[in-house]
Amino acid sequence: MKTTYKDPVCGMDVRLEDAAGTVEQDGETYAFCSKSCLERFQAAPRSYVRPLGTFLDPVCGMDVTPEEAAGSVEHGGETYYFCGQSCLERFSADPDKFLDTSRSQHEDADPDALYTCPMDPEIVQVGPGVCPVCGMALEPMDGGGAMSDDPELASMSRRLLVAALLSVPLLVLAMVPHLTGRHWPQPLSSVQNLVELLLSSPVVLWGGRPFFQRGWASVVNRRLNMFTLIAVGTGVAWLYSVVATLAPSMFPAGFRGHDGQVAVYFEVSATIVALVLLGQVLELRARHATGGAIRGLLDLAPKTATVVHGCHDEEVPLSRVQVGDLLRVKPGEAVPTDGTVTEGRSSVDESMVTGEPLPVQKEAGTSVIGGTVNQTGSFVMKAEKVGASTLLSQIVKTVQEAQRTKAPVQKLADTVAAYFVPTVVAAAVVTFVVWALFGPPPSLAYAVINAVSVLMIACPCALGLATPMAVTVGLGKGAQNGVLIRNAEALEALSRVDTLGIDKTGTLTQGRPDVTDVASVPASSPDEVVATAAALEALSEHPLAQAVLRAAADRGLPLSQVEAFEAVPGRGVKGLVGSERVLVGNAAFLQDDGIETAPVASTVDTWSRRAGTVVYVAKGARLLGALGLSDPVRTDAADSVRQLRSEGLRPVMLTGDNAVTAAAVASLVGIEEIRSEVSPLEKADAVSAWQREGRKVAMAGDGINDAPALAQAEVGIAMGTGSQIAIQSAGVTLVKGDLRALATARRLSTATMRAIRQNLFFAFAYNVLGIPVAAGVLYPWTGVLLSPMLAALAMSFSSVTVIANSLRLKRLHF
């Protein structure tokens, strides 16, 4: 008889007499080294063993029999069967991709990944490409893609290198006659033109190919953009020069200089392409930097986790962790996923997710967040959320979605951009005509070159980048400080808010009642009052019951056995402890039973003025004492209100609680305006009334009852510790539930909007001043003309300036 078995979960050899249990499956007996392995197998046996005669498709995970398989592959001495031809082909192309479980979950690019445009987020397609509206390279919607090398940046960098190597000698060759003041005689001039043609052709035709492709696409799609101007400008200059080199006799006198030769502009077209490529490389690098917050958040998640299998630990890729797994977290390691500590004790640095600078103590029963960093102790946790459901993944998803939204201020830039390119083309045509008719000889040559300068300097890329770059950096900075902003509209609206409605419970207070006071009569003791109340409350479902039980546990008090338990709704609970009857409830409940509450009346009256709820405790026919329960005010609430006032906000408490309790809490946190005993709809009505007065209103709350007001306000602010419906109704979520983060969000919003306005000013002012100079308006007085090469350089760096100004938001300190 077989005495040793292999545990199908952890792979250990187990003797039958040592096994924690056995299971019969498909005629086979499986033994387990621990109860944990046994329970995991019973929950999903097909995850560990296949039915007799079946095999696991390594691509999709389906059970496959050899008879039904679409095919098989021999690899590494093993035979693998596949459910379909698609799985077979994918495995054959890269077997290690499906067999190497040590590979990171972010390492492989998804061929079906969605890409979008940072300037036009409505453009979404499968796989990389260029935006049909603005011509910019699309970016992956999934933040994981942002971690890999940027193929667009690599391509532009290669083209820039070749363009620079060829443009430098071309520029030197073209500038020699201008620097020496002597021109080559006709035979040598023709040779020089041919050499310049050979040097410039790879630069313009290969290096500038993406610009011509995007420029043509803009014409086909009837969405003219910056690449339209680049393609027209460089194309005209280069084609003009090609014809002038190969067929100079075609040009009339208006194109010829004093020496009778036709000027060529190969160096202009090639240098423009090189400078635009330089601008694209700098811009792509800067755009990559704006996603640093997302990449930083993604990097918080560890690549592996240590799974506890009862008798031993196993390090596995994070993608293999399942809900219910026990994970060991050692000192200095990142917490693998969201869950609850089951054993051990430590402090965890949660600042990267919540913005809270101090480590948080963790022990059995407390929750931990994936991506946070364990400090000194070691603990075991139970995985409760994995993959896309973890808080870190939800934060990343929220920020990514928000970064693809447009702020209302962007509408101005979009409106201008829609008319801008046709206007620039018209300005270039007017420039050509004016110079051709009134310019000095060779007037037509001047006309061509100045029209090209207008096209180069007026590219609207900086205008299009002004808002999305600042929004991207601002939202990422907020996520790193525990503030999730749902969209750019909320970010902009937050900067205009002047009135803040604040719910009390769970926002200004902890949202969880605690026993804050205990009073006892002379014949009793505080511990007896708490222990007696807790014995009955252990059987109660009342919300206050848990507070009493926590008080008893904190004092280390044992609970007596209760018999004949009975709950009286709205009044209290009663039962027998030993042979004595015990009552726990309000004053009327005890008085109806003939027990007077007067001995603690003066003390209880003091509690009530402090917003307390009173529970009386009696045993037999005598009063033992009373418990004062209240929802403690958050330790940060008063400081938060002061900071919000300093930001120019008018705080108003909106609560459904009674006036006495509301006034007590308001006095502690420094709020002067109070509206108490209001229903959820009345909260929304109050917000609406303020809006009719012309106020810009934000509403902060954490419960379902706050959802209507959160939705009605210009900006809804939800506590991350609150209800899901409140979070879904809000434009801003404070991950830690700390109101101080709201002051951070306000300052971030103000700084981001200031950066957007600066960006728009730079873009508008640059074009307003640059186009006339490029057209030659200064020439009659100064004799100064703007070279197309300088125009292209200025155009490229204008975009980089806008992005660099946006990146300053990363250096904000709160």
Side-chain angles (χ1 to χ4, degrees):
M1 179 181 176
K2 187 176 180 180
T3 58
T4 303
Y5 297 80
K6 184 175 290 294
D7 186 322
V9 176
C10 65
M12 288 193 64
D13 290 331
V14 183
R15 293 190 303 173
L16 195 60
E17 59 269 25
D18 297 331
T22 60
V23 171
E24 293 287 336
Q25 181 78 28
D26 297 327
E28 290 285 333
T29 299
Y30 298 95
F32 302 90
C33 65
S34 66
K35 188 175 180 180
S36 172
C37 289
L38 173 62
E39 291 174 347
R40 292 179 65 188
F41 182 87
Q42 290 174 327
R46 295 305 182 206
S47 299
Y48 304 101
V49 297
R50 313 258 70 76
L52 191 63
T54 64
F55 298 85
L56 179 71
D57 184 326
V59 176
C60 65
M62 289 185 62
D63 290 335
V64 184
T65 63
E67 295 78 15
E68 298 173 344
S72 62
V73 171
E74 293 283 341
H75 181 78
E78 293 284 339
T79 301
Y80 299 93
Y81 296 90
F82 304 89
C83 66
Q85 189 66 27
S86 173
C87 290
L88 174 62
E89 292 173 355
R90 292 179 66 188
F91 182 86
S92 300
D94 185 8
D96 292 337
K97 176 179 179 180
F98 303 99
L99 300 178
D100 183 10
T101 58
S102 65
R103 187 173 295 193
S104 167
Q105 58 182 334
H106 294 303
E107 197 168 318
D108 299 309
D110 182 0
D112 298 325
L114 296 178
Y115 283 69
T116 187
C117 175
M119 287 172 56
D120 301 282
E122 69 274 12
I123 303 300
V124 178
Q125 72 174 43
V126 176
V130 296
C131 175
V133 177
C134 69
M136 292 181 67
L138 301 181
E139 298 178 345
M141 296 179 70
D142 177 12
M147 299 175 67
S148 60
D149 293 335
D150 186 345
E152 175 76 2
L153 177 58
S155 173
M156 290 295 180
S157 298
R158 287 193 300 270
R159 295 177 192 274
L160 173 61
L161 177 61
V162 174
L165 291 176
L166 295 177
S167 295
V168 170
L170 176 62
L171 190 60
V172 171
L173 184 63
M175 293 301 295
V176 166
H178 298 285
L179 296 175
T180 61
R182 302 179 62 181
H183 293 272
W184 302 105
Q186 179 57 39
L188 291 179
S189 178
S190 298
V191 172
Q192 177 187 348
N193 291 350
L194 288 173
V195 172
E196 290 184 9
L197 172 61
L198 292 175
L199 289 173
S200 66
S201 295
V203 178
V204 175
L205 299 180
W206 178 76
R209 181 181 178 184
F211 309 144
F212 291 110
Q213 289 175 330
R214 298 174 188 185
W216 175 250
S218 72
V219 175
V220 172
N221 296 324
R222 300 180 181 178
R223 303 295 291 268
L224 305 184
N225 54 49
M226 62 173 286
F227 294 104
T228 314
L229 305 182
I230 294 172
V232 172
T234 56
V236 167
W238 188 78
L239 289 174
Y240 162 84
S241 301
V242 170
V243 176
T245 299
L246 301 180
S249 60
M250 294 178 57
F251 290 88
F255 284 90
R256 300 179 183 275
H258 296 292
D259 57 359
Q261 297 183 20
V262 180
V264 295
Y265 299 102
F266 288 118
E267 80 284 3
V268 170
S269 55
T271 306
I272 286 175
V273 168
L275 292 173
V276 174
L277 285 169
L278 174 62
Q280 287 290 294
V281 169
L282 294 176
E283 180 184 312
L284 288 167
R285 288 180 177 175
R287 281 167 54 188
H288 187 73
T290 64
I294 291 296
R295 290 189 296 276
L297 289 172
L298 286 168
D299 286 339
L300 294 178
K303 302 297 182 290
T304 61
T306 302
V307 179
V308 179
H309 289 306
C311 50
H312 78 292
D313 294 349
E314 178 188 8
E315 185 172 350
V316 302
L318 187 62
S319 57
R320 284 177 51 188
V321 173
Q322 301 177 3
V323 174
D325 282 351
L326 295 179
L327 310 176
R328 190 181 305 280
V329 185
K330 301 173 184 176
E333 291 184 343
V335 177
T337 187
D338 295 0
T340 301
V341 177
T342 58
E343 61 180 81
R345 177 179 296 181
S346 183
S347 59
V348 175
D349 180 3
E350 298 183 340
S351 60
M352 63 286 296
V353 175
T354 66
E356 175 61 46
L358 297 177
V360 181
Q361 294 298 315
K362 302 293 181 180
E363 56 188 17
T366 58
S367 61
V368 288
I369 303 171
T372 56
V373 180
N374 185 25
Q375 298 290 287
T376 55
S378 176
F379 61 85
V380 176
M381 59 171 288
K382 182 178 181 181
E384 295 177 344
K385 293 182 180 180
V386 298
S389 63
T390 64
L391 175 62
L392 181 61
S393 296
Q394 291 300 311
I395 289 174
V396 170
K397 180 180 178 181
T398 298
V399 176
Q400 288 173 335
E401 290 176 349
Q403 289 176 340
R404 292 192 291 269
T405 61
K406 289 188 178 183
V409 71
Q410 176 70 16
K411 294 178 182 178
L412 172 62
D414 290 344
T415 301
V416 172
Y419 297 98
F420 189 76
V421 175
T423 302
V424 170
V425 173
V429 172
V430 171
T431 300
F432 178 87
V433 172
V434 171
W435 276 92
L437 294 177
F438 305 106
S443 58
L444 291 178
Y446 276 119
V448 170
I449 207 66
N450 288 328
V452 170
S453 293
V454 170
L455 293 173
M456 289 299 98
I457 202 167
C459 286
C461 185
L463 185 62
L465 290 171
T467 298
M469 290 300 103
V471 168
T472 296
V473 179
L475 294 175
K477 182 69 174 180
Q480 291 179 324
N481 285 272
V483 179
L484 294 184
I485 302 176
R486 187 178 297 275
N487 51 47
E489 183 176 1
L491 179 67
E492 180 176 341
L494 190 57
S495 68
R496 300 194 302 265
V497 165
D498 55 30
T499 301
L500 175 64
I502 310 178
D503 174 51
K504 178 183 72 68
T505 305
T507 305
L508 294 171
T509 65
Q510 299 285 356
R512 187 188 74 171
D514 283 328
V515 174
T516 53
D517 298 282
V518 180
S520 61
V521 298
S524 180
S525 68
D527 281 356
E528 183 182 5
V529 174
V530 174
T532 303
L536 266 71
E537 296 292 7
L539 303 177
S540 173
E541 297 180 355
H542 194 278
L544 297 179
Q546 294 302 315
V548 178
L549 290 173
R550 285 194 301 271
D554 291 342
R555 293 170 177 252
L557 302 175
L559 302 185
S560 303
Q561 186 72 29
V562 176
E563 297 178 355
F565 174 82
E566 181 182 353
V568 182
R571 296 171 66 80
V573 294
K574 56 185 177 180
L576 294 177
V577 174
S579 59
E580 293 188 284
R581 188 174 58 165
V582 175
L583 282 76
V584 179
N586 58 33
F589 184 51
L590 271 66
Q591 290 167 0
D592 288 347
D593 209 69
I595 300 174
E596 287 298 326
T597 58
V600 292
S602 60
T603 303
V604 165
D605 185 57
T606 302
W607 296 350
S608 297
R609 289 197 295 269
R610 292 207 310 260
T613 298
V614 179
V615 174
Y616 295 90
V617 182
K619 189 173 186 180
R622 63 189 179 92
L623 179 72
L624 293 182
L627 303 176
L629 296 92
S630 63
D631 185 4
V633 173
R634 289 178 179 268
T635 56
D636 55 54
D639 183 49
S640 300
V641 171
R642 281 194 297 271
Q643 290 186 33
L644 293 171
R645 284 187 184 278
S646 69
E647 293 292 323
L649 295 179
R650 162 199 173 195
V652 182
M653 181 190 291
L654 291 177
T655 178
D657 214 333
N658 64 75
V660 174
T661 300
V665 173
S667 66
L668 291 174
V669 301
I671 293 180
E672 298 171 359
E673 295 184 62
I674 308 167
R675 295 197 181 185
S676 57
E677 301 181 29
V678 291
S679 68
L681 293 180
E682 288 172 335
K683 288 184 180 181
D685 290 341
V687 171
S688 181
W690 291 331
Q691 292 170 331
R692 288 194 296 271
E693 294 173 2
R695 293 188 171 275
K696 303 299 182 182
V697 184
M699 177 68 196
D702 80 323
I704 294 175
N705 63 323
D706 299 314
L710 294 175
Q712 176 66 37
E714 274 86 359
V715 183
I717 302 161
M719 303 295 110
T721 52
S723 70
Q724 190 64 30
I725 190 171
I727 293 173
Q728 292 173 350
S729 301
V732 177
T733 299
L734 309 182
V735 176
K736 190 68 174 178
D738 185 344
L739 268 180
R740 286 177 296 187
L742 180 52
T744 296
R746 166 79 171 193
R747 290 193 289 270
L748 177 64
S749 170
T750 302
T752 302
M753 294 311 301
R754 182 169 56 247
I756 289 175
R757 286 190 290 269
Q758 291 169 346
N759 289 347
L760 290 174
F761 172 78
F762 293 153
F764 280 125
Y766 168 82
N767 285 302
V768 168
L769 296 175
I771 291 177
V773 174
V777 296
L778 299 179
Y779 183 79
W781 298 278
T782 64
V784 172
L785 289 175
L786 184 65
S787 165
M789 293 181 288
L790 293 178
L793 182 63
M795 177 271 294
S796 297
F797 278 96
S798 68
S799 299
V800 176
T801 299
V802 164
I803 298 176
N805 187 54
S806 300
L807 288 173
R808 291 190 306 112
L809 295 170
K810 297 178 69 175
R811 299 194 293 271
L812 286 177
H813 296 287
F814 302 109

Short mmCIF file of all heavy atoms in Angstrom, two decimals, residues 49 87 127 129 152 165 210 220 376 391 402 414 488 494 520 529 546 562 597 614 650 785 789 811:
data_model
loop_
_atom_site.label_atom_id
_atom_site.label_comp_id
_atom_site.label_asym_id
_atom_site.label_seq_id
_atom_site.Cartn_x
_atom_site.Cartn_y
_atom_site.Cartn_z
N VAL A 49 -4.91 19.59 -10.13
CA VAL A 49 -4.84 18.29 -10.82
C VAL A 49 -5.81 18.29 -12.00
O VAL A 49 -6.84 18.97 -11.97
CB VAL A 49 -5.20 17.12 -9.87
CG1 VAL A 49 -4.20 17.04 -8.73
CG2 VAL A 49 -6.61 17.26 -9.33
N CYS A 87 -3.98 29.16 -29.84
CA CYS A 87 -3.11 28.87 -28.70
C CYS A 87 -1.85 28.15 -29.14
O CYS A 87 -0.75 28.41 -28.64
CB CYS A 87 -3.87 28.03 -27.67
SG CYS A 87 -5.18 28.94 -26.80
N GLY A 127 -3.28 49.17 -30.31
CA GLY A 127 -1.91 49.22 -30.78
C GLY A 127 -1.42 50.65 -30.98
O GLY A 127 -2.21 51.60 -31.04
N GLY A 129 0.40 54.03 -32.76
CA GLY A 129 0.14 54.73 -34.02
C GLY A 129 0.24 56.22 -33.79
O GLY A 129 0.86 56.68 -32.83
N GLU A 152 8.51 55.19 -30.21
CA GLU A 152 8.47 56.47 -30.93
C GLU A 152 9.72 57.29 -30.61
O GLU A 152 10.34 57.88 -31.51
CB GLU A 152 7.22 57.25 -30.53
CG GLU A 152 7.12 58.63 -31.12
CD GLU A 152 6.73 58.65 -32.57
OE1 GLU A 152 6.48 57.57 -33.14
OE2 GLU A 152 6.66 59.74 -33.16
N LEU A 165 24.14 64.28 -38.43
CA LEU A 165 25.42 63.95 -39.07
C LEU A 165 25.49 64.48 -40.50
O LEU A 165 26.56 64.88 -40.97
CB LEU A 165 25.63 62.43 -39.06
CG LEU A 165 25.89 61.79 -37.69
CD1 LEU A 165 25.98 60.28 -37.80
CD2 LEU A 165 27.18 62.35 -37.07
N PRO A 210 8.21 60.68 -41.22
CA PRO A 210 7.02 60.70 -40.34
C PRO A 210 6.24 62.01 -40.45
O PRO A 210 5.01 62.01 -40.36
CB PRO A 210 7.62 60.54 -38.94
CG PRO A 210 8.94 59.89 -39.15
CD PRO A 210 9.44 60.43 -40.45
N VAL A 220 -5.91 64.35 -45.65
CA VAL A 220 -6.92 63.33 -45.96
C VAL A 220 -8.05 63.35 -44.94
O VAL A 220 -9.24 63.24 -45.29
CB VAL A 220 -6.26 61.93 -46.00
CG1 VAL A 220 -7.33 60.85 -46.14
CG2 VAL A 220 -5.27 61.85 -47.16
N THR A 376 9.93 47.36 10.48
CA THR A 376 10.88 46.57 11.27
C THR A 376 10.41 45.15 11.58
O THR A 376 11.23 44.24 11.70
CB THR A 376 11.18 47.28 12.59
OG1 THR A 376 9.93 47.54 13.27
CG2 THR A 376 11.87 48.61 12.33
N LEU A 391 -6.22 48.55 -4.01
CA LEU A 391 -6.31 50.00 -3.91
C LEU A 391 -5.29 50.67 -4.82
O LEU A 391 -5.59 51.65 -5.50
CB LEU A 391 -6.08 50.44 -2.46
CG LEU A 391 -6.03 51.96 -2.22
CD1 LEU A 391 -7.35 52.60 -2.60
CD2 LEU A 391 -5.67 52.26 -0.77
N ALA A 402 -8.33 60.09 -15.34
CA ALA A 402 -8.43 61.54 -15.14
C ALA A 402 -7.49 62.29 -16.06
O ALA A 402 -7.82 63.36 -16.58
CB ALA A 402 -8.14 61.88 -13.68
N ASP A 414 -8.71 74.55 -27.87
CA ASP A 414 -9.24 73.73 -28.96
C ASP A 414 -9.91 74.60 -30.02
O ASP A 414 -9.76 74.36 -31.23
CB ASP A 414 -10.25 72.72 -28.41
CG ASP A 414 -9.60 71.63 -27.57
OD1 ASP A 414 -8.36 71.50 -27.66
OD2 ASP A 414 -10.30 70.94 -26.82
N ALA A 488 -10.19 66.23 -15.10
CA ALA A 488 -9.61 67.57 -15.18
C ALA A 488 -10.63 68.64 -14.84
O ALA A 488 -10.27 69.71 -14.33
CB ALA A 488 -9.06 67.80 -16.59
N LEU A 494 -12.08 72.93 -8.54
CA LEU A 494 -11.62 73.03 -7.16
C LEU A 494 -10.88 74.34 -6.91
O LEU A 494 -10.92 74.89 -5.81
CB LEU A 494 -10.71 71.84 -6.83
CG LEU A 494 -10.30 71.64 -5.37
CD1 LEU A 494 -11.53 71.51 -4.48
CD2 LEU A 494 -9.42 70.40 -5.24
N SER A 520 -19.91 55.33 37.64
CA SER A 520 -20.43 54.25 38.48
C SER A 520 -20.93 54.81 39.80
O SER A 520 -20.46 55.85 40.27
CB SER A 520 -19.32 53.21 38.75
OG SER A 520 -18.23 53.80 39.44
N VAL A 529 -19.34 48.14 35.53
CA VAL A 529 -20.32 48.74 34.62
C VAL A 529 -20.03 48.29 33.18
O VAL A 529 -20.93 47.86 32.45
CB VAL A 529 -20.29 50.27 34.73
CG1 VAL A 529 -21.21 50.90 33.68
CG2 VAL A 529 -20.70 50.71 36.12
N GLN A 546 -20.80 47.29 19.46
CA GLN A 546 -19.38 47.06 19.19
C GLN A 546 -18.49 48.00 19.99
O GLN A 546 -17.39 47.65 20.40
CB GLN A 546 -19.11 47.19 17.69
CG GLN A 546 -19.77 46.12 16.83
CD GLN A 546 -19.33 44.73 17.24
OE1 GLN A 546 -18.13 44.46 17.46
NE2 GLN A 546 -20.30 43.83 17.37
N VAL A 562 -24.80 34.93 29.43
CA VAL A 562 -26.10 35.58 29.48
C VAL A 562 -27.18 34.60 29.03
O VAL A 562 -27.01 33.88 28.04
CB VAL A 562 -26.13 36.84 28.60
CG1 VAL A 562 -27.53 37.45 28.59
CG2 VAL A 562 -25.10 37.85 29.08
N THR A 597 -32.42 56.68 37.77
CA THR A 597 -31.12 57.04 37.18
C THR A 597 -30.55 58.32 37.78
O THR A 597 -29.50 58.81 37.34
CB THR A 597 -31.28 57.25 35.66
OG1 THR A 597 -32.26 58.27 35.44
CG2 THR A 597 -31.74 55.96 34.99
N VAL A 614 -25.91 58.38 25.96
CA VAL A 614 -25.82 57.77 27.30
C VAL A 614 -26.53 56.42 27.31
O VAL A 614 -27.65 56.29 26.82
CB VAL A 614 -26.44 58.69 28.37
CG1 VAL A 614 -26.37 58.03 29.75
CG2 VAL A 614 -25.73 60.04 28.37
N ARG A 650 -15.11 79.00 2.89
CA ARG A 650 -16.09 79.23 3.97
C ARG A 650 -16.67 77.87 4.36
O ARG A 650 -17.48 77.29 3.64
CB ARG A 650 -17.19 80.15 3.45
CG ARG A 650 -18.46 80.16 4.26
CD ARG A 650 -19.58 80.74 3.40
NE ARG A 650 -20.89 80.64 4.01
CZ ARG A 650 -22.03 80.80 3.34
NH1 ARG A 650 -22.00 81.05 2.04
NH2 ARG A 650 -23.18 80.70 3.96
N LEU A 785 15.57 89.58 -41.34
CA LEU A 785 14.64 88.50 -41.71
C LEU A 785 14.91 87.30 -40.81
O LEU A 785 16.06 87.05 -40.42
CB LEU A 785 14.82 88.09 -43.17
CG LEU A 785 14.34 89.07 -44.23
CD1 LEU A 785 14.70 88.57 -45.63
CD2 LEU A 785 12.84 89.28 -44.12
N MET A 789 15.38 78.22 -40.45
CA MET A 789 16.03 77.32 -39.49
C MET A 789 15.82 77.80 -38.06
O MET A 789 15.52 77.01 -37.15
CB MET A 789 17.52 77.20 -39.81
CG MET A 789 17.81 76.51 -41.13
SD MET A 789 19.57 76.36 -41.47
CE MET A 789 19.98 78.06 -41.86
N ARG A 811 7.65 69.59 -8.35
CA ARG A 811 8.49 70.05 -7.24
C ARG A 811 7.69 70.76 -6.16
O ARG A 811 8.27 71.31 -5.22
CB ARG A 811 9.58 70.98 -7.78
CG ARG A 811 10.52 70.31 -8.78
CD ARG A 811 11.76 71.15 -9.01
NE ARG A 811 11.46 72.40 -9.67
CZ ARG A 811 11.42 72.57 -10.99
NH1 ARG A 811 11.65 71.53 -11.78
NH2 ARG A 811 11.14 73.74 -11.53
#
